Amino acid sequence: MRWAAACTRLAHLARAPAARKVVPGVPTPFRRYADGAAPVRAHTMPSAKGRGGFGRPGVLGVRREDKNKWERRAPIAPRHVQELVKQGLKVVVQPCTRRVFTDMEYEESGAEINDDLSECSTILAVKEVPPELMLPGRTWVFFSHTIKAQPGGMPILDAAIEKKVRLVDYECITESGSKGGKRLVAFGAFAGYAGAIDFLRGLGERFLALGFSTPLLHIGSAFMYPSLEEAKRAVSLAGDAIRKHGLPKALCPFTAVFTGTGNVSQGALEIFSLLPHEMVDPSTLPDLCERAESGKLSREDCHKLYFSIATAEHMVRRKDGMQFDKKSYYLEPENYEPIFQETVLPYSTVILNGMYWDARFPRLFTREDLHRHAVNGRDKLLGVCDITCDADGSVPTRQFASIEQPFHILNAVTEQISLSLDEAGVLFHAVDHLPSELPRESSEHFGDCLLPFLPALAAETAPTAPAGSLAGSENLPLPMRGAIIAEGGALSRDFRYIQQLRDVNTAEVVEAEGEEVDVLTTPPAYCMLEFTGHLFDSRVINVLTDLCEESRARLQILALDVGRSVADQTRLSCAIMAHSDNQLETLVKKIQNVANEAAVQLRCPDRGALPVRSGEDGAFPAVAGNDQSSGVEMSGTPRKVLVLGAGYVAQPLVEFLLRRTENVLTVASLKRQEVDALLKTVSGGSRVKAETLDLVAAEGGSAEAAAKVEELIKDSDLVVSLVPAQLHVGVARSAIKHGVPLVTASYVSADMQALDADAQKAGVLILNEVGLDPGIDHLSAMRMIDAAKGAGSQVLRFSSLCGGLPAPEAAGSNPIGYKFSWSPRGVLVASRNPARFMEDGVLREVRGEDLLAHGRPITINNSFALDVLPNRDSTMFAELYGLSDAPTFFRGTLRFRGYCDRMLALARLGLLDVGPCAALQNSGATSPSNRRRWLAELLGAGSAAEGGAAAEALASQPALLIAALRGRLASHGSDPEVGLEFLDWLGLFEDAPLPEGAPVDRPIDVVSQLLQRPETAFQPGERD
């Protein structure tokens, strides 16, 4: 939301008329009649223009993208919508919170925001549309991945023909309107931009692993920057540093070779050109490298990079020794042999591959070439950026990566692949949807290309019968007519070959002529597998890796618990990723057969990823045993675990514990609905049960509640307490009494420390501080401290920074850049804790109410803009760490930049007060009518309501309320606009009720509930 527009609209709420007339009791589909668009007729149903029709000419739709979380692009931007509306078109945009352009931006440009696109005659998307969601009788425009008869695109094509859809593919919009012409609508250059930026980031990390710190280390991935210009700025800064300080001599001359001259390669070259460089012909590369080997490198050679553009003439030569001829090469490539692997490869530091290639042409180089050069000491090549992502293509990319994990190392000697950049080998980068890392600029560019064709396309409905010759009407531009793959229930004339290709693909042995079949068009399918048995003796692990390699699938080991003796079983959890569901299912059948033959138990915990059937089709049969509902056979003596609490952190714990088949769980919480909701997300069957337990009542003297606590703990082998920290002590007393170990993730309080002697006497383990912070941070700190002391060093300054942050790609969904993986209330309370730390021999103390004002900015890799907050009492850990004499000892909490400013604004307004707020109670605010009234009551609770205005006046006059808030924030030194924007995002200016059940006299509880929304929760697939 744009803040200025929000303030203007808010200031006029009291007198603004309704934007849209809504007739009570009239179902939504009929409101177009009730709004006066047409009189209601008994025999005229809304569906006449709905899903069964053809849409209305002049109405253009924009579908939300849902192929994967990274797809934030749009086919047209808000400014394109504005232009189309000016031309008389109506534009309907499906709402989407992931899209790089907000719904508000589209709405302000004249679009209607609506899930229902049935009114549209033409609908735009970027990526493939699921066949079942394709409205019939419309014109659909998107990248369909059908023109090479790709198997993944055939269901889309079949649906388009069945539903008489006019299917238009961006890939086919060419200048001439025919295949092979210059493409007019594409993202090519942005793939080059993003690929080059990401590759530079990987090179920085790789060079560091090789022992060299370079300015490239300060470059992040493209998606980490808010814009392409910011990313270019980071590369330019690295270039300035190279120009000034140079590169390590061992890396020089740094030679970068770009293959091809198309948009992809030009985009990559544009990014690299921000570094100091000199363009040279590929033929001069051997002389450059000879200078280094003879010790004749100059200072200038180390303060710039050398770039070469390799075209076909540098890659091949005629077999008969005659002169290279480009036209001859493309017509008869069989008359040419490769030379790139000998004349260019040994002299290249990095290669950026952006050229077109198909199987008719020689490859640039192979794995065998890399191996040969490595054993002969000619392995100068350090990295390959394969932007083309061709499977088994012009370069030996063995594995396609994701935006989250974009790099791998190929060891050309052992042919092993490693995801660790610390291993020996060549760095490879190959991500197949790079433009989505630059969603705003790529969408703007794409829309610019597409805009001229849209008015004509949207002005007509899709035909009901196929065209006799050229597809489309005479009113459509020729480039658009040539891009129509199907219409009227049949393939268009120029695309009838697709059926022939499908026949080729289904034949057993047929030589395909002319067309390359691309089978790697869909995102990887995946499933989780868990093995239990003697995996090494039976060689199941070896066979598993061989099968995955043969199937060109990816295997990722998630957990490995190796048996300690010959009699013990090994447990393995892994993820299998393949290029299609069919390929995955075939692979899993083979793995199942291997496991059966070796008497190894195999289960698939995430059944949603793979259909589970029984019988001869080879998919997972149910495993017989004590727990049929979960498909897990009970093994060994049951171990009873009591989990107290069903909040944010309970689910991953329960899932983890259920991996061990002998574990039997009881999950207890005050709210039974929380436990029931948790258990629906896990597949534990009879091995997990729910209980209702009131620990607060037990602490308060309730005999019944205390008795139930005692009973549950006594009947357990282990207790894990995930309840608020103040309740741990009572649980610990009972655990000590009954001799049951207890585990918590909370800090050791004074009351908990007082139980140490009793626990030792009873021989009971009470294990605290085993989370991230505190927990893992202790372990990493002690490892470094012990290593330093072991080397004879003295630690003078210690700083440990930690934060459970969402990954950058997930952090942008809300203003604070934070996702709650534990209680939101707990997070807010922690932001008000007092802090103490040592700095240069001086004890620093920070009051709890001032903690958020003490955030210190820190930037990592020129990409992560963070704030550091002092974390509680650091001094109490100095002695435990053996650093009581260190002049500086600091433990800090990390948050993304902006978190502290926004939370501080809430604190200055009293919104983080724990309460109960007596002034609110006395003013009768325990049941205010809406959020805005409650905010006005709170603002007036501590003063004369900024200038003597009563809370009633503030609530009824939004402009006055905003002025009062702005004045309060400014008086405390906070940025008023930042605070007001955050209050608006929280919905506190709305005429809506407060969260149900929120104690309105406790502001922190109200805010914590307002923060519990999808944008602040981790969504499936998001990482911390």
Side-chain angles (χ1 to χ4, degrees), residues 647-670:
Y648 283 80
V649 298
Q651 180 182 341
L653 172 71
V654 170
E655 290 176 344
F656 177 78
L657 291 173
L658 288 174
R659 293 179 186 175
R660 302 294 294 260
T661 58
E662 62 269 33
N663 290 341
V664 178
L665 276 59
T666 298
V667 182
S669 180
L670 176 62

Side-chain angles (χ1 to χ4, degrees), residues 513-704:
E513 296 181 0
E515 291 293 329
E516 178 198 6
V517 179
D518 183 359
V519 298
L520 295 177
T521 59
T522 55
Y526 78 97
C527 72
M528 306 280 291
L529 299 180
E530 293 184 357
F531 299 80
T532 304
H534 298 289
L535 307 184
F536 291 94
D537 294 346
S538 63
R539 295 185 59 80
V540 165
I541 285 186
N542 304 72
V543 178
L544 171 65
T545 56
D546 290 342
L547 288 174
C548 290
E549 184 173 359
E550 291 171 6
S551 302
R552 301 178 64 81
R554 177 181 172 189
L555 169 67
Q556 183 175 5
I557 304 297
L558 303 177
L560 181 62
D561 185 5
V562 181
R564 291 176 173 79
S565 68
V566 176
D568 290 339
Q569 294 183 328
T570 292
R571 292 178 174 83
L572 167 69
S573 295
C574 63
I576 305 289
M577 284 156 276
H579 290 290
S580 71
D581 290 333
N582 289 336
Q583 184 183 3
L584 177 67
E585 189 169 354
T586 301
L587 174 59
V588 171
K589 288 178 184 178
K590 296 178 181 179
I591 295 172
Q592 175 72 69
N593 292 335
V594 170
N596 289 341
E597 292 175 4
V600 168
Q601 180 183 329
L602 175 62
R603 62 182 292 264
C604 181
D606 53 342
R607 296 185 175 213
L610 185 70
V612 181
R613 309 183 185 90
S614 59
E616 295 182 356
D617 62 1
F620 280 51
V623 181
N626 299 331
D627 192 357
Q628 295 290 340
S629 61
S630 65
V632 181
E633 183 175 0
M634 184 72 71
S635 62
T637 304
R639 298 187 303 192
K640 293 177 285 186
V641 182
L642 173 62
V643 178
L644 299 177
Y648 283 80
V649 298
Q651 180 182 341
L653 172 71
V654 170
E655 290 176 344
F656 177 78
L657 291 173
L658 288 174
R659 293 179 186 175
R660 302 294 294 260
T661 58
E662 62 269 33
N663 290 341
V664 178
L665 276 59
T666 298
V667 182
S669 180
L670 176 62
K671 298 178 180 179
R672 178 58 184 260
Q673 62 269 29
E674 286 187 351
V675 185
D676 292 340
L678 186 155
L679 297 191
K680 287 180 181 178
T681 65
V682 298
S683 55
S686 60
R687 291 196 297 130
V688 56
K689 65 178 182 177
E691 287 283 356
T692 303
L693 188 64
D694 191 342
L695 289 171
V696 175
E699 289 282 313
S702 169
E704 181 181 356

Side-chain angles (χ1 to χ4, degrees), residues 2-23:
R2 295 181 178 177
W3 176 238
C7 288
T8 302
R9 188 167 64 255
L10 185 60
H12 292 281
L13 278 177
R15 60 179 183 274
R20 180 183 298 175
K21 179 181 177 183
V22 177
V23 180

Side-chain angles (χ1 to χ4, degrees), residues 929-951:
S929 58
N930 57 49
R931 298 180 184 183
R932 192 167 69 248
R933 171 57 187 264
W934 179 82
L935 180 61
E937 294 276 6
L938 179 65
L939 188 63
S943 69
E946 302 294 338

Side-chain angles (χ1 to χ4, degrees), residues 327-389:
K327 184 177 181 181
S328 166
Y329 174 57
Y330 285 110
L331 287 174
E332 300 175 315
E334 65 275 8
N335 294 332
Y336 289 78
E337 61 184 4
I339 58 171
F340 183 92
Q341 76 280 8
E342 299 299 336
T343 60
V344 179
L345 178 65
Y347 312 105
S348 305
T349 306
V350 298
I351 294 173
L352 292 94
N353 186 35
M355 70 175 191
Y356 172 81
W357 181 88
D358 65 44
R360 297 173 297 147
F361 300 101
R363 290 178 169 83
L364 284 177
F365 59 94
T366 65
R367 293 196 300 275
E368 291 73 19
D369 293 325
L370 291 178
H371 182 277
R372 177 165 46 83
H373 287 319
V375 297
N376 291 328
R378 302 178 71 200
D379 53 342
K380 177 179 175 62
L381 185 70
L382 298 179
V384 176
C385 180
D386 186 10
I387 307 175
T388 63
C389 279

